[in-house]
Each structure stands twice: as structure tokens, then as C-alpha cells.
Amino acid sequence: MLKHLNAILMLLFISSMLLSTATHAKSKERLGINKQGIKVWTYQTKDNPMLEYRAETVLDTTLENATGLILDVERGKKWVPYMSDIQVIERDDKAGEFIIYCRMDFPFPLNDRDLVIQGNYRKDSNGRIIIKNKAINDPRVPIKNNVIRITHYEGDWIMTKLGAKQVKVTTSGFADPAGSIPTSFVNTFVEQQPYQMLQKMKQQIKTVNYTAKDLPSILK
């Protein structure tokens, strides 16, 4: 079984992501990118000045291999931009629950960002793998000097088996990056970031071979 969980690897450039909820009025999605088998839509919800996104692609691999890649914390640093540190605080593989700490190495002159994520993963009645996450406060992870703590974040991954070796991957999310980052700066990344992340994921999936035995029992 994988030793580490990496459900956060669904974000990332964390400063541009937000999962929409039923309590927010959602504007019509706009398809901003459609190339190399990757689509990225953007939209806004009421009272949120930052764009939100949904992105998807199809991987030529098994459902187990795609899931294993997302749950492999160390390998996540190879395909999630700006991710510099990921640590598992606690987890319960039987319940499909976890708490992890993540740190993003932002380019100068921005301060680095970090956050504590509480999440869960499950397989639904249609066989899809669903991973959901949100930021929480945790006294076990004190705030660090010169690092800005993100406290408003939600995101998810959904993996749907299309065939023996074909999986549709959908990711969406949102985070308030906190601090003094202009909204206009954040919004410039909303389309490009998930596109680049899924590009790298498509490359990484070719280098791994996870099977059902590598996954938590709740996902089998």
C-alpha cells in the first residue's frame, strides 16, 4: 500500500483554484483551452472576484495507475507546479480520510504559501474514484515565519474509467491565496496552471505502474 497520501495534488497553483458550491450562483463556463487532449473551463461564482476552473483530460492508463499517481506524495513534486513540501499529518486508510501539510514555493518577490488539508477519498457506485479536500486549521502545524498560511481552499479530483486502459480525469478547485497578491495576477494563472499540471500528469503516468494492490482497500 502506498505509504503517503497526496490528495492535495489536485490543486495546484493553489492561488487560482476554487471548487464551486451550491450556495454560490455560478456564471456560465467558458472553454478557455482545448488542445493536446486537455480542456480547461473558467467561471465565476457570486461575490468571488477570482475566476474558478474545471479541467479534464483522458489518460491512456488504468484507473488504478491514475489513482496511485495522485496518492504518491513524493512523485507529486514532479508534476504539481510550485509544490516544495508535502507531509502526511495523519491518515486512516480504512475510512479513506487524511490530513496533510503542503508548502508552495512561490517565485520572488512573493512569499511562499502553505496550508493544511483535510480530505477524503472513495469509490462511488459507478466505480469512479473521488477525492475531496478543504483547508483546515490544525494546532499540530504552526504558522512559519515568512510563509503565508492559506485558510480558504476547496478542491477535488474525479477519475472515471472509460475502458481497460483509458481514464477521464477531472479536477476543479479554488483557493484564496491570502496576502497581497492582486486578483488580476491570480486570474492569469487560472487557465494555464491546470493545463500545465495535466500536461505533466500525462507524462508522469507513463513512468509508473500502480495496481490494485498499491491502493487503500476502500478504493478496491
Side-chain angles (χ1 to χ4, degrees):
M1 184 177 292
L2 293 170
K3 295 182 178 180
H4 302 286
L5 292 175
N6 188 23
I8 176 96
L9 299 184
M10 12 183 146
L11 347 158
L12 276 282
F13 186 28
I14 194 74
S15 64
S16 65
M17 308 181 177
L18 170 50
L19 176 66
S20 66
T21 66
T23 58
H24 292 118
K26 176 178 169 181
S27 65
K28 184 178 180 180
E29 288 184 323
R30 182 184 69 85
L31 180 61
I33 295 178
N34 183 8
K35 59 182 179 180
Q36 296 186 335
I38 300 171
K39 295 181 179 180
V40 181
W41 294 266
T42 59
Y43 56 90
Q44 282 189 303
T45 54
K46 185 179 180 181
D47 300 325
N48 177 32
M50 290 177 287
L51 288 175
E52 308 175 22
Y53 85 93
R54 178 172 64 90
E56 69 177 34
T57 192
V58 174
L59 302 179
D60 294 324
T61 190
T62 64
L63 180 64
E64 292 78 13
N65 197 34
T67 303
L69 176 63
I70 291 178
L71 295 180
D72 187 339
V73 64
E74 288 301 322
R75 189 171 292 273
K77 297 177 185 178
K78 296 183 178 182
W79 61 276
V80 179
Y82 300 99
M83 187 68 70
S84 62
D85 188 24
I86 310 171
Q87 300 175 25
V88 176
I89 306 303
E90 68 174 61
R91 70 179 188 196
D92 184 338
D93 287 340
K94 292 183 178 180
E97 300 173 346
F98 57 87
I99 296 176
I100 57 177
Y101 167 79
C102 297
R103 176 167 173 163
M104 280 67 67
D105 183 11
F106 278 23
F108 180 83
L110 301 177
N111 289 85
D112 287 355
R113 261 67 175 173
D114 69 0
L115 74 166
V116 181
I117 296 290
Q118 180 183 67
N120 63 80
Y121 54 92
R122 62 185 176 87
K123 178 180 282 190
D124 71 7
S125 60
N126 295 317
R128 301 183 306 168
I129 303 296
I130 299 174
I131 304 173
K132 291 184 175 292
N133 312 275
K134 65 179 180 180
I136 63 170
N137 293 317
D138 193 311
R140 294 172 294 183
V141 186
I143 295 176
K144 305 178 186 299
N145 291 332
N146 300 318
V147 178
I148 295 176
R149 177 64 49 88
I150 292 173
T151 58
H152 295 92
Y153 158 75
E154 293 182 36
D156 67 1
W157 289 88
I158 300 176
M159 285 160 286
T160 306
K161 181 178 179 179
L162 301 179
K165 288 191 175 182
Q166 199 170 59
V167 179
K168 183 174 75 171
V169 177
T170 303
T171 181
S172 60
F174 158 83
D176 181 347
S180 57
I181 300 181
T183 298
S184 58
F185 177 85
V186 173
N187 283 341
T188 61
F189 290 90
V190 175
E191 290 182 356
Q192 288 298 322
Q193 178 59 25
Y195 173 72
Q196 294 170 5
M197 182 173 64
L198 290 180
Q199 270 190 317
K200 292 183 178 181
M201 187 181 189
K202 289 167 78 76
Q203 293 301 314
Q204 279 296 308
I205 203 69
K206 300 175 183 178
T207 69
V208 295
N209 186 29
Y210 301 103
T211 64
K213 67 180 178 62
D214 297 310
L215 304 181
S217 59
I218 195 173
L219 297 180
K220 298 178 182 178

